[in-house]
Amino acid sequence: MERRFTACIMAAGRGERAGGGEPKQYRQLAGRPVIAWSAETFARHPDCQDMIVVHAPGAAEAAEQALGPLALRVRLVEGGETRHDSVRCAMEAVSAPLVLIHDAARPFISPAMIDRLLAALDHHTGAVPALPLADSIARLDNGRPVPADRAPYRRLQTPQAFHTEALRKAFASHGSASHTDESALAHAAGLDVTLIEGDEMAFKLTFPDDFTRAERLAGGVALTVTGSGFDVHRLAPGEGLTLCGVFIACDLSLVGHSDADAGLHALTDAVLGAAGLGDIGDHFPPSDMRWKGADSALFLTHALTLAREQGLVPVHCDVTLICERPKIGPHKSAMKARLAELTGLAPQRVNVKATTTEKLGFTGRGEGLAAQAVITMRTEI
Ligand code: CTP
Ligand code: MG
């Protein structure tokens, strides 16, 4: 079945109940504007053909700024006085056969929920995420609680998904009355709407406290990336060498343009890999005399700064040194401490391992030393 959809992100509200000065959809949440969270999830979905963001009159620039690079994939449309009016404005610009209408104020939507909605549209005209009520329900009678049966009720969320033409027709025939969401409009128009399993994470930022909760949760849904690095340097007779930022006095040295610290080079490449920034040679070309004999801690620190500019901070790193000599064991804890210092990680989130290659290959013959590194990084909270 055809599953291409247009995502309409409704962001024309004033966010009065949330307070906070600016409209809630443009406020920062764990380092990213609220609206960018769901826009990113849609943008990454393989069936997302395009996106429409509906903003309040005069707020096009605020929307564009909050979307950042995602703005390139978005058509901006001016909304109306009520959410219902805003959705109507969006519908005029929808081009895909399916449409997902979403509240910008629900940042944490999952690709799995989008998939459930799209699958449901194979058999139904509309699909809406729903959750049961957990608390007891009471009807107020002159301010006094009268027990009510919660069983038949559901909490409805967004995105709400429809066959585009059917929803357009519903607007044409029943759109004059204002509905709080598309399921209500669809009901009025007699469309076949099914419920799919909702997601507690897809809650709506409505009141000030919702932001506190969202900030806390963002820790668990922040983007996590991994990078790997590998480096080799030739060994020669000498008076010592530096590995993972620690000097080891021995009768060997490492040959290279900088201080040839293969451990730090591998880790620097891992950081650049995690941040999608190429490799160490792109940033510190061996042809550049500035790096002759340089302390490789400089490279790592610079790569971490570049990653941080993208909002990425280290979570964990693991370095493996591969050589017969020098013996790494006695220096592992010093190396770990130095890496913790350079990365800002807690010592238990840093690991240094050493291995030989059983006298095989160039490392086995003592011609060179190799290092591997893996780093996990996460968007800053
Ligand atoms: N919305 C919209 N156009 C409107 C009103 C609301 O696009 N005229 C959007 C909001 O930006 C929000 C979503 O619809 O993403 C859900 O509405 P709600 O939570 O009520 O947001 P606000 O109307 O902004 O908040 P409040 O009612 O507290 O002012
Ligand atoms: Mg509102």
Side-chain angles (χ1 to χ4, degrees):
M1 282 288 276
E2 177 64 87
R3 287 197 173 171
R4 276 176 308 123
F5 68 86
T6 295
C8 296
I9 306 181
M10 309 315 301
R14 284 189 278 270
E16 276 163 2
R17 285 168 292 172
E22 62 182 323
K24 58 190 178 184
Q25 60 272 31
Y26 304 134
R27 270 171 66 179
Q28 292 287 317
L29 173 60
R32 272 203 285 180
V34 167
I35 190 172
W37 284 84
S38 59
E40 175 85 43
T41 307
F42 284 125
R44 283 172 191 264
H45 196 283
D47 296 319
C48 181
Q49 176 173 303
D50 56 355
M51 290 193 280
I52 294 168
V53 164
V54 185
H55 58 83
E61 212 171 304
E64 205 170 333
Q65 229 174 15
L67 287 161
L70 290 167
L72 294 171
R73 288 200 55 182
V74 159
R75 198 144 19 121
L76 292 174
V77 167
E78 192 172 298
E81 194 45 44
T82 65
R83 185 182 178 285
H84 179 77
D85 297 330
S86 296
V87 177
R88 190 206 319 275
C89 299
M91 285 308 292
E92 286 167 23
V94 173
S95 58
L98 305 179
V99 61
L100 266 59
I101 312 278
H102 183 59
D103 295 335
R106 297 179 192 267
F108 305 138
I109 51 166
S110 68
M113 188 154 92
I114 297 175
D115 290 340
R116 287 199 291 279
L117 287 164
L118 296 174
L121 289 188
D122 287 352
H123 308 288
H124 302 274
T125 311
V128 173
L131 287 170
L133 285 84
D135 298 318
S136 294
I137 295 295
R139 179 175 58 77
L140 288 187
D141 183 9
N142 281 327
R144 290 179 184 281
V146 181
D149 181 11
R150 71 183 170 212
Y153 292 100
R154 293 291 178 272
R155 292 178 288 142
L156 304 184
Q157 302 179 309
T158 76
Q160 300 193 357
F162 294 88
H163 287 264
T164 305
E165 275 321 306
L167 191 62
R168 274 212 183 101
K169 277 192 193 134
F171 265 101
S173 59
H174 292 79
S176 53
S178 199
H179 300 277
T180 56
D181 69 354
E182 293 56 63
S183 78
L185 169 66
H187 177 76
L191 300 186
D192 161 35
V193 175
T194 189
L195 296 183
I196 62 125
E197 190 191 340
D199 183 346
E200 291 291 354
M201 286 291 284
F203 68 95
K204 183 158 70 72
L205 294 164
T206 304
F207 302 106
D209 277 357
D210 293 331
F211 273 83
T212 318
R213 180 173 158 218
E215 284 284 347
R216 235 179 286 139
L217 286 168
V221 296
L223 174 72
T224 302
V225 289
T226 306
S228 75
F230 178 72
D231 194 36
V232 169
H233 279 280
R234 185 179 290 281
L235 281 166
E239 289 168 358
L241 45 83
T242 302
L243 276 174
C244 292
V246 173
F247 183 75
I248 303 177
C250 60
D251 59 357
L252 294 167
S253 68
L254 281 166
V255 184
H257 185 64
S258 64
D259 67 2
D261 185 333
L264 286 189
H265 293 181
L267 188 54
T268 303
D269 257 353
V271 172
L272 294 170
L277 290 171
D279 61 36
I280 196 165
D282 295 337
H283 297 268
F284 305 99
S287 54
D288 191 331
M289 284 315 284
R290 269 183 305 169
W291 314 124
K292 186 152 175 50
D295 175 354
S296 296
L298 257 177
F299 304 158
L300 178 60
T301 310
H302 182 67
L304 286 166
T305 305
L306 294 177
R308 184 174 286 273
E309 279 165 12
Q310 298 193 5
L312 291 171
V313 290
V315 174
H316 172 266
C317 72
D318 187 18
V319 177
T320 305
L321 300 171
I322 306 160
C323 59
E324 302 288 332
R325 290 181 56 230
K327 284 285 163 243
I328 305 297
H331 307 283
K332 277 201 301 202
S333 59
M335 290 177 176
K336 202 172 141 125
R338 180 65 180 141
L339 292 184
E341 189 178 16
L342 289 170
T343 54
L345 283 167
Q348 66 269 29
R349 295 278 173 266
V350 175
N351 195 58
V352 176
K353 309 196 291 292
T355 186
T356 69
T357 47
E358 299 285 343
K359 303 240 159 38
L360 297 169
F362 71 87
T363 51
R365 292 189 296 272
E367 294 163 11
L369 175 149
Q372 289 180 335
V374 174
I375 192 161
T376 305
M377 304 188 86
R378 198 166 74 176
T379 45
E380 200 164 11
I381 299 158

